[in-house]
Amino acid sequence: MRPSAPADQPGLTAMIQARSDWMETRQLPNWRNWGRHVHELAGNCTRHRSGMWVLTEDDGRILGCTTILRTSAPWNWTEVEAAETAYYLSGTVTDPAERHRKLGSVIARWAVDRAAREGISRVRRDCRSSALAMYYQQQNFQLVRKVSVPGGQTSYALERMAVRIPDLISQILQHEDVVRRSATASSIHS
């Protein structure tokens, strides 16, 4: 993970468009919204102090991104909660061709570790999809509340305590090794 740079915009645009297309093919909620905002989201890398981070391969290929904000959607958090130190993850996107690598979980663990290293107490996120809220819960985020928002939609507010993950790199490498072995075993048995 590294801070984004303006030169990342073409790679981000391609990756986010691929995710939007993947969502459309599966008729997942919000795919139209993603499709309309691909360039805007990718353009965050050009904004000074945007807080956007990119997950890259060793060759520089962009596999994912997230934006770390210091404030969150005001309707999801009480005044007391909003006063707590927290990272708010927004616009997390990963390359759908690499979904077997669980890159969203990699980004979440990285953010939890980074927050703890910087003295931030929590990592928060929200979404409007119950399926996505369940996915975040699989990443050890706790559902704090469901909030009705204008338009009759539900917003799910989730958080996870920031903790150091000293063996984060070895966990990622070990996970990728398991994925590779599983893929190899599947091809042998096919």
Side-chain angles (χ1 to χ4, degrees), residues 34-82:
W34 278 77
R36 283 189 293 254
H37 294 92
V38 167
H39 295 286
E40 180 182 335
L41 184 55
N44 282 339
C45 71
T46 66
R47 292 173 183 78
H48 178 65
R49 302 184 65 151
S50 72
M52 179 182 257
W53 290 78
V54 292
L55 174 64
T56 62
E57 288 274 38
D58 290 337
D59 64 3
R61 185 171 69 99
I62 295 174
L63 300 174
C65 66
T66 196
T67 299
I68 297 176
L69 304 173
R70 296 304 295 265
T71 58
S72 60
W75 53 84
N76 284 328
W77 307 99
T78 67
E79 194 172 310
V80 170
E81 290 167 338

Side-chain angles (χ1 to χ4, degrees), residues 5-189:
D8 294 324
Q9 191 167 6
L12 284 164
T13 300
M15 189 231 0
I16 296 167
Q17 185 64 58
R19 174 56 71 173
S20 176
D21 295 345
W22 182 86
M23 291 173 70
E24 178 182 10
T25 300
R26 286 155 184 77
Q27 292 296 303
L28 297 175
N30 295 328
W31 70 265
R32 282 188 180 94
N33 192 41
W34 278 77
R36 283 189 293 254
H37 294 92
V38 167
H39 295 286
E40 180 182 335
L41 184 55
N44 282 339
C45 71
T46 66
R47 292 173 183 78
H48 178 65
R49 302 184 65 151
S50 72
M52 179 182 257
W53 290 78
V54 292
L55 174 64
T56 62
E57 288 274 38
D58 290 337
D59 64 3
R61 185 171 69 99
I62 295 174
L63 300 174
C65 66
T66 196
T67 299
I68 297 176
L69 304 173
R70 296 304 295 265
T71 58
S72 60
W75 53 84
N76 284 328
W77 307 99
T78 67
E79 194 172 310
V80 170
E81 290 167 338
E84 297 167 335
T85 59
Y87 275 170
Y88 174 75
L89 297 185
S90 177
T92 303
V93 184
T94 60
D95 183 340
E98 300 293 334
R99 66 187 178 281
H100 62 280
R101 294 170 67 183
K102 308 275 188 219
L103 299 175
S105 294
V106 170
I107 291 171
R109 287 195 314 265
W110 169 83
V112 165
D113 180 73
R114 181 173 180 80
R117 290 174 188 267
E118 294 186 357
I120 304 298
S121 64
R122 293 164 172 73
V123 176
R124 292 179 172 150
R125 52 193 345 167
D126 66 54
C127 62
R128 294 193 179 177
S129 161
S130 60
L132 192 53
M134 288 183 355
Y135 173 67
Y136 291 155
Q137 289 174 53
Q138 291 170 0
Q139 297 173 351
N140 296 319
F141 283 83
Q142 302 300 312
L143 179 64
V144 175
R145 69 180 54 84
K146 297 180 199 177
V147 179
S148 293
V149 294
Q153 293 186 331
T154 300
S155 181
Y156 300 86
L158 301 103
E159 74 176 8
R160 182 173 170 181
M161 297 302 293
V163 294
R164 294 282 307 272
I165 305 176
D167 58 342
L168 179 61
I169 299 299
S170 63
Q171 284 181 23
I172 292 167
L173 294 174
Q174 183 180 33
H175 172 74
E176 288 188 353
D177 186 47
V178 168
V179 169
R180 272 192 292 277
R181 282 190 306 222
S182 176
T184 302
S186 294
S187 66
I188 290 171
H189 296 291

